[in-house]
Amino acid sequence: MAMRYLPHTDAEIQNMLDTIGVGSIDELFSGIPQNCRLQRDLNLPAAKSEAEAMALLRTLAAKNACSDQWDTFLGGGAYNHFSPAVVDHLVSRSEFYTAYTPYQPEISQGTLQAIFEFQTMICQLTGMDVANASMYDGASACAEAVLLAVRTGRKRHRILLSGALNPQYRQTVATYCQYLDVELVQVPVAAGHTDLKALESMVDDSVAAVVAGYPNYFGQIEDLAAIAKVTAAAGARLIAAVAEPLALALFKSPGELGADVVVGEGQSFGIPLSYGGPGIGFFAVKNRDMRALPGRLVGETVDLDGKRGFVLTLATREQHIRREKATSNICSNQGMCTLMVGIYLALHGKQGLRKLAQVNYAKAAYAKSQIAALDGFEIAFAGEHFNEFVVLCPEPVAALKTRLEQEQILAGIALGRDFPELPNGLLVCVTEQNSREQIDRLVNALAGGQA
């Protein structure tokens, strides 16, 4: 029987539009910017056989600049780290692949333990007391942290966002808060860091939280202790946003430096780049904010026989408590990604993770010194950084990037769009995946020579 996969007739659609008081489909989508809307029909080819479709997809895939074929120095929130084969092997086991949705009461002990271990390791990395079972990604975790600060801030409504915070995080926070009684204010940047003097003049008893990157978007290590002191003096919370958590294996944790909430992106720990997703957010707080955490917590206990077990301890979601009391509508933790992060961290251990961080730090320092020695190039900011740094280029960054792409080198991220004050700024990232030869090729290509 022929089937029509058209769920609604024109009359039904019009009836729905009339019901909600919208005149047309165009009016319904009016909230979507025009430049984001397709202004023509989809350009789809005629139907193909499976073999033809596979050949076409292979051809399209070959057009991508993959990190295993190109020299990539891209960072900015997604990092090209090596993931041991055992990570994929273990998460591919059927008991994990077929596990039931992990927020239901009948959740398995194995899944509960995996989440518990993830929470524990996130607490150890961040220096915090409690971590939840993960979030979608670092940006949404940051936005949820802002909501937590507003909920617990006793009528405080201002949020101070560092100008050196990842711009995608800032945009996500703005999206979450656009219909709330929350005022977002940007703190100026001085020499690649949050301007402490400006921050002191902006913090008062109306501020619920200060949000700063650690490392920040320029790769710089913020003086988080100083920011925490200023923030705490006004009774506000300090939210540290960590886009590259590998740095926490080398530098003091945000918790040690006075952060009240630590959020971030865990993609560095065993999650492939995969064209930008999926990521995995983490969210950790001090004990005082445990009950305000979004998502869910897994706790450790013993059964009647004294055997160790794990239980879903707190869940502030609408399925478990009254909808108006729910602190988050996030539908599920990133179960599979959480498990990958847990395996990755357990595999490396404290010492292994620290050695990996040291390799990242050393390679970035070498690249930075070599680029700084080139005529016309300048390192934008002094001070400590991890595996990213900003280069001021003597030519337009767009032209430079195009020139290096001819050598199959992805040189970094142009900063001019998000930071107009850095029109020729290039954010360069070096990880353990970049060999000495790759770094030298980058330096030679920047200098105008053959890579």
Side-chain angles (χ1 to χ4, degrees):
M1 183 176 69
M3 298 289 291
R4 293 177 67 248
Y5 293 97
L6 300 175
H8 303 116
T9 66
D10 290 342
E12 290 170 333
I13 292 173
Q14 189 57 53
N15 186 34
M16 287 188 286
L17 294 174
D18 292 342
T19 299
I20 62 175
V22 177
S24 65
I25 292 291
D26 283 341
E27 185 180 349
L28 178 66
F29 295 146
S30 61
I32 302 174
Q34 283 290 335
N35 61 352
C36 296
R37 298 166 61 179
L38 190 64
Q39 305 296 328
R40 55 170 174 75
D41 293 334
L42 292 173
N43 182 21
L44 295 176
K48 296 181 180 300
S49 68
E50 180 180 353
E52 291 172 332
M54 291 302 294
L56 175 62
L57 292 174
R58 280 193 292 269
T59 301
L60 294 175
K63 295 181 179 180
N64 291 312
C66 301
S67 58
D68 58 349
Q69 297 169 348
W70 287 50
D71 298 350
T72 176
F73 296 90
L74 300 175
Y79 299 93
N80 179 30
H81 290 298
F82 178 75
S83 181
V86 67
V87 176
D88 280 342
H89 174 73
L90 290 178
V91 299
S92 300
R93 291 178 61 93
S94 59
E95 58 265 46
F96 293 125
Y97 249 46
T98 59
Y100 189 52
T101 313
Y103 57 77
Q104 303 293 356
E106 58 270 35
I107 184 172
S108 73
Q109 278 293 298
T111 299
L112 284 169
Q113 182 172 359
I115 293 174
F116 180 82
E117 301 292 351
F118 168 85
Q119 294 173 178
T120 302
M121 288 185 278
I122 291 299
C123 285
Q124 291 172 341
L125 265 176
T126 58
M128 305 299 281
D129 300 326
V130 185
N132 73 6
S134 81
M135 313 287 284
Y136 284 139
D137 55 30
S140 57
C142 185
E144 290 280 352
V146 167
L147 298 185
L148 180 149
V150 173
R151 282 197 304 271
T152 57
R154 297 184 179 180
K155 299 183 179 180
R156 294 173 179 241
H157 66 284
R158 294 176 74 219
I159 301 293
L160 304 185
L161 301 170
S162 167
L165 182 67
N166 187 313
Q168 295 175 354
Y169 286 29
R170 279 191 273 130
Q171 292 166 13
T172 304
V173 170
T175 299
Y176 270 57
C177 296
Q178 61 182 321
Y179 298 119
L180 303 177
D181 182 23
V182 176
E183 181 186 1
L184 303 178
V185 183
Q186 184 166 312
V187 182
V189 176
H193 298 78
T194 304
D195 189 330
L196 276 175
K197 289 186 177 178
L199 179 64
E200 287 176 350
S201 67
M202 298 169 72
V203 173
D204 57 29
D205 59 7
S206 70
V207 174
V210 174
V211 187
Y214 185 75
N216 66 27
Y217 191 64
F218 303 128
Q220 302 293 117
I221 304 300
E222 293 273 11
D223 187 351
L224 214 57
I227 297 175
K229 184 178 180 181
V230 172
T231 304
R237 280 173 168 74
L238 172 59
I239 300 171
V242 184
E244 171 53 298
L246 183 59
L248 302 185
L250 195 60
F251 295 94
K252 279 192 173 181
S253 69
E256 291 176 276
L257 298 172
D260 299 288
V261 182
V262 183
V263 294
E265 171 59 58
Q267 176 269 326
S268 287
F269 299 146
I271 310 293
L273 289 169
S274 296
Y275 306 99
I280 176 173
F282 58 84
F283 198 125
V285 297
K286 299 292 187 184
N287 279 328
R288 68 167 179 165
D289 287 326
M290 178 172 61
R291 292 184 178 276
L293 264 179
R296 63 200 61 76
L297 300 178
V298 172
E300 183 182 22
T301 186
V302 293
D303 63 14
L304 291 175
D305 299 323
K307 295 179 181 176
R308 187 190 189 204
F310 302 91
V311 292
L312 195 60
T313 306
L314 289 175
T316 54
R317 301 177 61 239
E318 61 191 18
Q319 288 93 337
H320 303 95
I321 61 177
R322 286 180 296 174
R323 177 181 291 269
E324 66 272 19
K325 296 291 185 182
T327 55
S328 173
N329 289 319
I330 288 179
C331 63
S332 177
N333 74 291
Q334 298 276 70
M336 188 62 68
C337 294
T338 302
L339 183 61
M340 294 175 77
V341 169
I343 294 170
Y344 182 95
L345 291 175
L347 185 68
H348 283 78
K350 291 182 180 178
Q351 297 305 318
L353 205 64
R354 182 173 178 80
K355 288 181 180 177
L356 181 60
Q358 289 171 333
V359 171
N360 275 250
Y361 180 88
K363 288 195 171 189
Y366 172 73
K368 179 181 172 182
S369 66
Q370 295 300 301
I371 294 173
L374 296 176
D375 287 340
F377 288 88
E378 182 182 350
I379 303 302
F381 308 120
E384 197 70 89
H385 68 93
F386 181 53
N387 62 2
E388 289 177 280
F389 53 91
V390 176
V391 177
L392 302 180
C393 305
E395 59 183 299
V397 174
L400 179 146
K401 289 178 62 179
T402 300
R403 177 164 63 81
L404 267 65
E405 286 170 6
Q406 304 305 313
E407 306 284 347
Q408 291 198 320
I409 297 174
L410 298 174
I413 296 175
L415 294 175
R417 186 184 67 174
D418 294 312
F419 301 91
E421 67 276 19
L422 296 170
N424 287 345
L426 180 70
L427 182 65
V428 177
C429 176
V430 183
T431 74
E432 79 281 0
Q433 295 279 63
N434 297 115
S435 65
R436 171 78 172 261
E437 291 72 23
Q438 286 185 358
I439 297 172
D440 290 341
R441 270 169 42 84
L442 170 67
V443 174
N444 289 335
L446 288 173
Q450 187 174 8

